[in-house]
């Protein structure tokens, strides 16, 4: 908070809203003159609003939902962006850290330290960001090396034994070379209490110690050439994920069904569990990038290459009970490399443009093991394991370009296009199936195990400076997410997603930047939405992805800020989203009368779900925030903020089951109170999130058929209270 408090103090004295620069269009522009529905936060804003991890963003970004499944988290914007967990599945919302695409994001909390800002772009960004941005983009931008010496150290304590140590050291070597190192270490007990006394059983959704270290070196000058070298290492030691059963449908081999029948009644408190198995969710990530920016008489050459290696180790009690029935292990090893080269013209010209090329390749190996017990004869027996190896590769090559022509000083037209070539390959090997016959492996005679796609995306836009304070824009754009094949089940292919979006927006800074009102209206024509369901295919459990033929999504989002006086600021957002399936046949084994459908090659049984709501987006949401900042007579700075989100009903799956999929309307309130001592070196902040102490389902996962296909969920974090202290050295 120390650095941020200086900025807040300046804004409080001026009584104006700050100007935020963003790079959403691959170039630096002011947020209020960027023709995209975008919410941006500076690092200071995170501290003001008490945002301490990725899930907290949901209270501040319209249409954003973040859930977790197994070893990763899922991001959705306006109902678009979910993904499966196979080695060739993709998210529809692209997640970036420092312009580096992260295909399989895991963890998520440690990245929020020492950042410059976070940009959330809503709507398809296919032209500049490619196939994984049908729903939008989340871009985390770190603070880079500065030309002056500075250092910061901090400590936090809070609920559930939360402890955090953090530090930053920025050292300029000379006029051309600067370095920066940041580190954070966190421990916290889980917020789901495990009442089991079994050895190794621990509370869920905590950490035994998360460590992240980032080092950067910047050489050169922005007037000529800059070269950035950056490396990050992260070791996250999670205490495991809990599976709360929303229903229990006994299934699997007869001995297993007999043992499932002995499970006692589940805890009624969603934040209590009775799981006998040791659980963990560990992620180790190492990444590096090199970036070169060369200024050529106002034009810019940009090149960035990156490499990422990520290992996750997950263990879950799949029966979620004190009875020793089933344990699930997933080990995932993923490597990814990417490169982007682009050329950008001087923006002061009548015609400005960006052209570039992009390459991305990923290789992911997943080992899955399910241990299963049963009841037969005199007692418990151990069934043979289910063992599945999965190896998938994805490769993308793209060329893109945008051009903006200034028809006049106030009116501009834009055109963008991207050509993408995608290839996915994969194999699976089943080495055990509870003693049952092995299902066919992939590739096999059903499908070759190779999928190739070629796609052209475009964008047409218009911008109008209606006045000095009012900016208007309109656009039509397309987005695309590559198809694939059902690698973990029957190998059958599924089609790419396609979206055509129409948007109109107004951004305004009124009354000498004392009020800001941004409105975005959108309409999506969404074709072949990819939906993933867990099903038993070919005598074995696996993920089955199919396409929803057509969906329509439309709505409006209003984001506002008001400077009431030099001390008080009001923030308010409102979103309305109507999202439903126009045509969809999908699988639900609980439906008593599935509709026969010739488009059912797997023979799973299909249900007509046309008219159902698209998951992970509420029809209405409202957010209200109030901020206070005042310079005291002794030179200290007092700062306070409170924010309340009200979100309407929404569903977590396409089936819209009222008992399983529905999340009832709720409110969530966060608050902070901070004081920066005179001189802005030392600061103290008290924070509270989810003051209501109300929790909601965040995701629905259907347990595999060897236990009976039953819906399970995980719940969001309850009330969290804490205090942080920061001390800043140097400038």
């Amino acid at each position: 908070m120390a650095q941020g408090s200086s900025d807040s103090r300046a804004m409080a004295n001026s009584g104006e809203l700050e100007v935020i620069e963003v790079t959403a269009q691959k170039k630096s522009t002011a947020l209020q003159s960027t023709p995209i529905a975008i919410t941006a936060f500076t690092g200071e804003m995170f501290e003001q609003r008490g945002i301490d991890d990725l899930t907290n963003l949901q209270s501040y970004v319209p249409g954003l939902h973040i859930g977790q499944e197994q070893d990763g988290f899922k991001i959705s914007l306006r109902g678009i962006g979910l993904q499966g967990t196979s080695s060739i599945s993709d998210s529809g919302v692209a997640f970036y850290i420092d312009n580096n695409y992260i295909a399989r994001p895991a963890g998520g909390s440690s990245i929020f330290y020492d950042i410059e800002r976070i940009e959330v772009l809503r709507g398809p960004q296919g032209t500049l960001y490619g196939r994984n941005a049908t729903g939008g983009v989340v871009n985390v931008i770190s603070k880079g090396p500065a030309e002056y010496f500075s250092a910061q150290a901090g400590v936090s304590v809070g609920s559930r034994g939360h402890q955090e140590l953090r530090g930053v050291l920025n050292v300029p070597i000379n006029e051309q070379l600067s370095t920066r190192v940041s580190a954070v270490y966190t421990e916290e007990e889980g917020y789901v209490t495990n009442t089991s006394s079994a050895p190794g059983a621990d509370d869920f959704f905590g950490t035994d110690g998360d460590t992240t270290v980032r080092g950067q070196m910047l050489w050169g000058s922005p007037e000529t050439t800059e070269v950035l070298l950056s490396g990050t290492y992260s070791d996250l030691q999670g205490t495991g994920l809990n599976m709360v059963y929303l229903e229990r449908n006994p299934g699997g081999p007869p001995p297993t069904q007999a043992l499932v029948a002995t499970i006692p009644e589940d805890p009624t408190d969603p934040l209590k569990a009775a799981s006998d198995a040791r659980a963990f969710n560990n992620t180790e990530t190492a990444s590096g990038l090199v970036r070169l920016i060369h200024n050529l008489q106002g034009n810019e050459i940009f090149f960035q290459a990156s490499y990422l290696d990520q290992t996750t180790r997950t263990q879950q009690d799949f029966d979620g009970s004190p009875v020793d029935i089933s344990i699930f292990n997933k080990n995932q090893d993923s490597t990814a490399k990417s490169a982007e080269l682009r050329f950008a013209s001087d923006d002061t010209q009548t015609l400005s443009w960006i052209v570039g090329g992009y390459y991305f390749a990923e290789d992911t190996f997943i080992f899955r093991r399910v241990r299963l017990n049963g009841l037969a004869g005199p007692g418990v027996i151990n069934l043979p394991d289910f063992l599945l190896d999965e190896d998938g590769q994805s490769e993308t090559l793209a060329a893109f370009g945008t051009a903006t022509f200034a028809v006049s000083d106030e009116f501009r037209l834009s055109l963008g296009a991207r050509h993408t070539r995608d290839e996915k390959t994969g194999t699976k090997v089943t080495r055990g199936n509870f003693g049952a016959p092995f299902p066919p492996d992939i590739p096999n005679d059903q499908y070759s195990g190779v999928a190739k796609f070629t796609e052209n995306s475009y964008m047409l836009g218009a911008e109008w400076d209606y006045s000095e304070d009012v900016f208007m824009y309109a656009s039509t754009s397309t987005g695309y997410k590559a198809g694939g094949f059902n690698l973990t089940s029957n190998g059958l292919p599924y089609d790419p997603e396609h979206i055509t979006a129409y948007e109109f927006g107004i951004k305004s800074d009124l009354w000498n930047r004392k009020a800001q009102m941004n409105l975005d209206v959108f309409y999506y024509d969404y074709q072949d939405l990819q939906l993933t369901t867990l099903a038993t295919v070919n005598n074995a459990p696996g993920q089955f992805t199919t396409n929803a033929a057509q969906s329509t999504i439309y709505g409006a989002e209003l984001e506002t800020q008001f400077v009431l006086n030099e001390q008080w600021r009001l923030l308010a957002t409102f979103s309305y989203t109507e999202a439903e399936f126009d045509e969809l046949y999908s699988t639900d084994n609980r439906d008593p009368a599935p509709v026969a459908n010739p488009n059912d090659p797997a023979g799973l049984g299909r249900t007509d779900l046309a008219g159902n709501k698209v998951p992970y987006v509420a029809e209405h949401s409202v957010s209200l925030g109030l901020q206070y900042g005042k310079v005291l007579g002794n030179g200290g700075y007092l700062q306070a903020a409170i924010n309340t989100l009200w979100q309407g009903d929404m569903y977590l799956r396409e089936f819209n089951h009222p008992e399983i999929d529905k999340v009832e309307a709720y409110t969530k309130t966060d608050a902070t109170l901070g004081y920066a001592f005179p001189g802005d070196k030392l600061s103290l902040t008290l924070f509270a999130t989810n003051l209501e102490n109300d929790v909601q389902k965040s995701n629905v996962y259907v347990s595999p058929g060897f236990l009976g296909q039953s819906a399970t969920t995980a719940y969001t974090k309850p009330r969290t209270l804490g205090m942080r202290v920061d001390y800043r050295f140097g400038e």
Side-chain angles (χ1 to χ4, degrees):
M1 178 177 170
Q3 179 64 53
S5 64
S6 298
D7 299 334
S8 296
R9 185 179 305 209
M11 294 309 301
N13 289 337
S14 66
E16 296 179 352
L17 294 169
E18 54 266 62
V19 177
I20 300 178
E21 294 288 323
V22 297
T23 53
Q25 294 186 304
K26 305 283 187 176
K27 58 184 179 181
S28 181
T29 58
L31 173 65
Q32 288 300 95
S33 60
T34 303
I36 298 173
I38 175 174
T39 303
F41 304 91
T42 65
E44 177 201 7
M45 290 177 178
F46 280 98
E47 296 167 356
Q48 288 176 342
R49 304 182 187 189
I51 303 174
D52 59 355
D53 62 30
L54 195 61
T55 59
N56 282 32
L57 278 178
Q58 298 173 99
S59 297
Y60 301 91
V61 180
L64 175 66
H65 178 85
I66 297 171
Q68 182 164 356
E69 184 173 304
Q70 294 182 357
D71 52 359
F73 57 84
K74 296 182 174 183
I75 307 173
S76 173
L77 279 166
R78 296 173 175 171
I80 301 174
L82 303 180
Q83 66 178 7
T85 58
S86 83
S87 59
I88 59 171
S89 59
D90 299 307
S91 171
V93 174
F95 182 72
Y96 285 82
I97 298 178
D98 294 331
N99 202 54
N100 182 25
Y101 173 60
I102 310 297
R104 302 180 189 281
S109 59
S110 56
I111 60 171
F112 278 65
Y113 180 57
D114 196 36
I115 63 167
E116 184 69 31
R117 65 185 180 279
I118 287 186
E119 303 173 2
V120 182
L121 286 61
R122 305 188 296 279
Q125 309 296 325
T127 301
L128 289 176
Y129 290 92
R131 66 174 171 89
N132 299 100
T134 48
V137 172
V138 177
N139 194 9
V140 181
I141 301 164
S142 307
K143 286 186 178 179
E147 58 187 13
Y148 51 84
F149 172 82
S150 65
Q152 185 171 329
V155 61
S156 296
V157 294
S159 303
R160 298 174 293 277
H162 171 77
Q163 303 175 56
E164 182 176 278
L165 301 174
R166 53 190 175 272
V168 178
L169 179 63
N170 189 99
V171 179
I173 307 301
N174 54 43
E175 292 183 357
Q176 293 288 309
L177 181 64
S178 296
T179 61
R180 188 179 188 92
V181 177
S182 57
V184 58
Y185 174 82
T186 303
E187 288 184 8
E188 186 174 331
E189 299 170 6
Y191 63 83
V192 175
T193 302
N194 190 359
T195 60
S196 173
S197 59
D202 204 348
D203 295 341
F204 296 100
F205 298 100
T207 173
D208 290 328
D210 290 352
T211 303
T212 298
V213 180
R214 180 172 59 241
Q216 301 175 83
M217 180 178 294
L218 180 64
W219 174 87
S221 166
E223 287 75 27
T224 53
T225 302
E226 281 189 330
V227 177
L228 174 69
L229 299 176
S230 178
T232 302
Y233 173 78
S234 179
D235 184 17
L236 311 180
Q237 298 290 319
T239 58
L241 314 175
N242 182 41
M243 297 181 67
V244 178
Y245 273 73
L246 300 172
E247 59 176 357
R248 287 196 182 268
N249 298 313
T256 299
Q257 294 189 41
L259 193 55
V260 169
T262 68
I263 293 177
E265 186 175 347
D266 291 320
T268 57
D269 186 341
L271 299 184
K272 287 188 181 297
S275 297
D276 64 301
R278 176 175 179 255
F280 53 82
N281 185 30
N282 303 333
T283 302
E284 185 176 14
T285 305
S287 64
L289 66 85
V290 56
R291 178 189 301 160
L292 182 148
I293 302 177
H294 178 63
N295 189 329
L296 186 62
Q297 297 180 345
N299 300 320
E300 182 181 272
I301 301 173
F302 175 98
F303 174 77
Q304 178 168 307
S306 63
Y307 180 84
L308 181 145
D309 183 273
Q310 185 176 83
T311 299
T312 63
R313 299 289 183 262
T314 302
Q315 180 166 295
Q316 288 179 279
D317 182 354
F318 245 19
D319 56 90
S321 79
V323 183
D324 185 11
I325 302 176
S326 179
I327 296 177
F328 170 73
N329 288 92
K330 177 184 177 183
N331 297 344
Q332 178 173 292
D333 299 291
S334 179
T335 60
K337 51 189 176 183
S338 64
E340 181 171 349
L341 174 66
R342 63 177 187 259
F343 304 89
S345 70
D346 186 347
D347 278 348
T348 62
Q349 304 300 317
T350 301
L351 178 66
S352 60
W353 47 265
I354 297 176
V355 294
Y358 179 75
Y359 172 78
F360 174 80
E362 182 188 34
D363 191 338
T364 300
F365 175 79
I366 301 176
F367 164 76
R368 293 181 176 91
R369 176 189 181 189
V370 178
R371 286 167 279 178
L372 194 63
N373 296 331
L375 189 63
V380 175
I381 62 172
N382 303 113
L383 279 71
D385 286 347
F386 173 80
L387 301 170
L388 177 65
D389 294 344
E390 178 190 343
D391 193 1
Q393 298 82 37
S394 299
E395 186 175 76
T396 297
L397 188 64
F400 60 89
T402 64
T404 300
F405 178 73
V407 179
S408 66
D409 291 342
E410 295 81 21
F411 187 74
R412 297 168 294 280
L413 296 173
S414 297
L415 171 67
R418 188 182 189 98
H419 177 75
T420 304
R421 297 178 60 184
D422 288 305
E423 180 174 336
K424 295 185 177 183
T425 61
T427 58
K428 77 166 185 179
V429 177
T430 307
R431 296 186 286 115
N433 192 23
F434 309 125
F438 286 3
D441 290 325
I442 304 299
N444 56 28
D445 56 0
Q446 288 181 293
Y447 195 62
S448 65
V450 178
K452 297 182 180 181
F453 307 93
T454 300
E455 185 71 19
N456 296 313
S457 303
Y458 70 87
M459 181 276 297
L460 298 172
E463 308 168 24
W464 183 24
D465 298 322
Y466 176 78
S467 68
E468 184 178 350
D469 301 322
V470 178
F471 171 74
M472 305 174 67
Y473 61 90
S475 68
T476 177
S477 61
T478 61
Y480 145 82
K481 187 169 81 170
F485 54 95
N486 284 286
L487 182 56
T488 66
S489 53
N490 60 5
L492 290 178
Y494 52 88
D495 295 331
E497 293 182 355
H498 294 90
I499 183 172
T500 302
Y502 306 90
E503 300 217 20
F504 171 76
I506 302 174
K507 296 185 178 184
S508 59
D509 284 318
L510 306 175
W511 307 314
N512 296 320
R513 289 206 354 246
K514 287 183 170 55
Q516 188 177 95
M517 290 183 281
N518 296 343
L519 173 68
D520 187 86
V521 181
F522 60 92
Y523 178 91
Y524 293 168
D525 181 8
Y526 204 178
Q527 305 285 334
D528 294 322
L529 168 66
Q530 295 168 11
L531 295 170
T532 300
T533 303
L534 193 67
T536 300
V537 182
N538 297 326
N539 299 315
Q543 290 186 11
F544 187 80
T545 298
T546 187
N547 297 97
Q550 187 170 356
S551 308
T552 299
I553 302 174
Y554 61 89
E557 298 162 345
L558 177 66
E559 296 180 280
T560 66
Q561 295 187 64
F562 302 92
V563 175
L564 304 181
N565 56 38
E566 290 186 354
Q567 286 80 44
W568 290 96
R569 181 181 300 186
L570 175 68
L571 304 92
T573 66
F574 169 77
S575 70
Y576 163 73
T577 307
E578 188 67 43
E580 69 177 34
F581 296 105
D582 299 322
E583 182 180 344
L584 171 61
Y585 286 92
S586 197
T587 304
D588 185 359
N589 293 338
R590 280 177 300 276
D591 195 300
V595 178
N597 177 26
N599 298 318
D600 185 14
L604 298 174
R606 298 286 172 160
T607 303
D608 186 359
L609 301 179
N612 279 14
K613 297 293 185 181
V614 174
Y616 294 98
V617 60
E619 184 173 353
H620 298 97
S621 69
V622 179
S623 177
L624 294 174
L626 194 62
Q627 295 181 4
Y628 175 82
K630 181 177 177 59
V631 179
L632 303 181
N634 65 352
Y637 185 72
L638 181 66
Q639 183 171 278
I642 188 169
N643 187 86
T644 297
L645 168 72
W646 176 87
Q647 181 168 284
D649 298 343
M650 74 172 183
Y651 295 94
L652 298 177
R653 293 185 307 160
E654 63 272 22
F655 308 117
N656 289 190
H657 283 283
E659 300 86 6
I660 295 173
D661 302 326
K662 189 175 183 179
V663 177
E664 301 282 353
Y666 68 91
T667 62
K668 178 176 178 288
T669 302
D670 304 332
T672 60
L673 176 63
Y675 178 69
F677 288 81
D680 286 338
K681 300 296 185 183
L682 178 64
S683 64
L684 172 68
T685 304
L686 304 177
F687 60 88
T689 61
N690 190 7
L691 285 171
E692 294 86 348
N693 202 30
D694 188 16
V695 298
Q696 296 81 37
K697 293 175 288 188
S698 65
N699 196 34
V700 170
Y701 175 77
V702 178
S703 65
F706 52 79
L707 287 177
Q709 291 188 346
S710 303
T712 70
T713 190
Y715 285 85
T716 56
K717 185 180 290 189
R719 180 189 299 126
T720 300
L721 307 175
M723 176 182 69
R724 57 180 291 166
V725 179
D726 291 282
Y727 190 84
R728 184 167 62 93
F729 309 83
E731 297 185 33

